Amino acid sequence: MTRCIVVANQKGGVGKTTTVANLGAALAAMGGRVLLVDLDPQAALTATYGINPYNLPRSMYSVLMHEGASLARILRPAGESSMAIAPASVDLAAAEVQLVNAPGRAQRLRNAIERNRIPFDYILIDTPPSLGLLTLNGLVGADEVLIPVQTHYLAMRGVRSLMEVVWRVKRRLNPRLRLLGLLPTMYQPGSQHSAEVVAEMRKVFKTKVFDIVVKNDVRFAEAPVAYKTLVEYDPQHEGAIAYQRLAEVIANHE
């Protein structure tokens, strides 16, 4: 059975795209068939795999804007493993406005996934840093939500408003949606502030906070230069190992 996980946080720069790409690569390395879905108009996930978001005849924009459009037709290989990506184009920025009065505007992604006949074990959805219609499509289309949280005080405070949206979506639009967990990211080793934020996260969200902490490291930025994730680029790096551990926890959390 396919597990569909949306990675969401309305704050930018918390590691959503890094998490989708590296978690996907780690799950694929474990033998999983993984589909990455890029819903962010900035298309950083798409660019990670050397795909030009400014020159795409078919992308997630096509899927969201045209009911009945085939998700399978836009898929492209991602990396060197058993991954595929449904790429984003810059046109997605207009979709937020164009979908406002469209029928079934929040269910476009879910309908496309349900129509898809290509077998995947995992679908990972990258979302923009907002709580607009693109993120809403991700929440409605997924079964689980994974929230990367930058280990800064103000970043943690923003999680409350996201959780309110998640529970509202669960009540009104997607009763199967559940919280998979919160992932502390951008952790600064030796920083008392980072340690205090993680401790506060565990106090508030208890077992819903993963035991894994992703440290802030320039290697995450270097890997996409080679059109790879850190898991593929340097699998022995501690950042890659963190996502490998996360993949193991998620795979065993069926």
Side-chain angles (χ1 to χ4, degrees), residues 139-208:
L139 292 170
V140 173
D143 306 307
E144 303 165 270
V145 56
L146 169 61
I147 304 175
V149 183
Q150 184 182 18
T151 53
H152 290 182
Y153 175 69
L154 292 178
M156 194 193 73
R157 286 195 64 188
V159 174
R160 176 172 294 179
S161 57
L162 174 59
M163 292 302 301
E164 290 173 355
V165 171
V166 169
W167 301 135
R168 198 175 305 130
V169 169
K170 181 178 178 66
R171 287 195 304 269
R172 300 179 182 179
L173 296 168
N174 183 8
R176 68 181 186 273
L177 184 65
R178 68 185 183 92
L179 177 62
L180 178 59
L182 283 73
L183 177 68
T185 62
M186 316 293 285
Y187 185 84
Q188 294 285 357
S191 164
Q192 182 177 349
H193 179 69
S194 286
E196 288 174 350
V197 170
V198 172
E200 183 67 15
M201 285 173 62
R202 298 196 193 287
K203 179 180 177 181
V204 174
F205 297 102
K206 299 181 171 50
T207 58
K208 283 300 182 180

Side-chain angles (χ1 to χ4, degrees), residues 69-89:
S70 170
L71 184 61
R73 289 190 67 193
I74 74 166
L75 300 189
R76 297 196 176 198
E80 301 172 359
S81 56
S82 55
M83 286 196 299
I85 184 170
S89 67

Side-chain angles (χ1 to χ4, degrees), residues 9 23 60 68 72 88 112 120-121 145 160 175 189 214 218 226 234 236 239 250:
N9 191 324
L23 175 59
M60 281 307 302
F120 289 101
D121 300 304
V145 56
R160 176 172 294 179
V214 180
V218 71
D234 188 359
Q236 299 306 313
I250 289 175

Side-chain angles (χ1 to χ4, degrees), residues 27 56 65-66 74 96 99 119 168 185 205-206 232 253:
L27 289 168
L56 281 176
M65 293 307 303
H66 305 292
I74 74 166
E96 290 273 14
L99 284 171
R168 198 175 305 130
T185 62
F205 297 102
K206 299 181 171 50
E232 298 163 308
H253 193 64

Side-chain angles (χ1 to χ4, degrees), residues 8-252:
N9 191 324
Q10 76 273 26
K11 189 179 185 305
V14 300
K16 290 189 295 293
T17 299
T18 296
T19 295
V20 170
N22 284 279
L23 175 59
L27 289 168
M30 293 169 59
R33 297 164 298 178
V34 181
L35 171 61
L36 309 178
V37 176
D38 194 351
L39 285 184
D40 189 349
Q42 298 179 63
L45 182 64
T46 297
T48 295
Y49 297 100
I51 302 170
N52 184 358
Y54 291 91
N55 187 26
L56 281 176
R58 290 190 295 268
S59 68
M60 281 307 302
Y61 176 81
S62 317
V63 172
L64 294 179
M65 293 307 303
H66 305 292
E67 286 190 285
S70 170
L71 184 61
R73 289 190 67 193
I74 74 166
L75 300 189
R76 297 196 176 198
E80 301 172 359
S81 56
S82 55
M83 286 196 299
I85 184 170
S89 67
V90 293
D91 297 329
L92 267 178
E96 290 273 14
V97 176
Q98 294 170 341
L99 284 171
V100 167
N101 295 316
R105 60 186 179 271
Q107 289 84 17
R108 296 295 180 94
L109 177 60
R110 181 173 69 184
N111 293 340
I113 290 172
E114 289 175 349
R115 287 193 304 269
N116 183 55
R117 292 293 180 265
I118 300 176
F120 289 101
D121 300 304
Y122 300 93
I123 298 175
L124 305 181
I125 304 168
D126 192 18
T127 56
S130 72
L131 294 177
L133 274 171
L134 295 175
T135 298
L136 182 60
N137 265 271
L139 292 170
V140 173
D143 306 307
E144 303 165 270
V145 56
L146 169 61
I147 304 175
V149 183
Q150 184 182 18
T151 53
H152 290 182
Y153 175 69
L154 292 178
M156 194 193 73
R157 286 195 64 188
V159 174
R160 176 172 294 179
S161 57
L162 174 59
M163 292 302 301
E164 290 173 355
V165 171
V166 169
W167 301 135
R168 198 175 305 130
V169 169
K170 181 178 178 66
R171 287 195 304 269
R172 300 179 182 179
L173 296 168
N174 183 8
R176 68 181 186 273
L177 184 65
R178 68 185 183 92
L179 177 62
L180 178 59
L182 283 73
L183 177 68
T185 62
M186 316 293 285
Y187 185 84
Q188 294 285 357
S191 164
Q192 182 177 349
H193 179 69
S194 286
E196 288 174 350
V197 170
V198 172
E200 183 67 15
M201 285 173 62
R202 298 196 193 287
K203 179 180 177 181
V204 174
F205 297 102
K206 299 181 171 50
T207 58
K208 283 300 182 180
V209 180
F210 289 104
D211 289 334
I212 299 143
V213 173
V214 180
K215 297 178 183 179
N216 192 22
D217 198 296
V218 71
R219 295 289 273 176
F220 283 114
E222 293 173 353
V225 177
Y227 300 133
K228 291 184 177 182
T229 64
L230 185 58
V231 166
E232 298 163 308
Y233 185 71
D234 188 359
Q236 299 306 313
H237 188 276
E238 62 178 342
I241 292 171
Y243 280 108
Q244 291 161 6
R245 287 181 56 210
L246 179 64
E248 291 170 1
V249 170
I250 289 175
N252 293 325

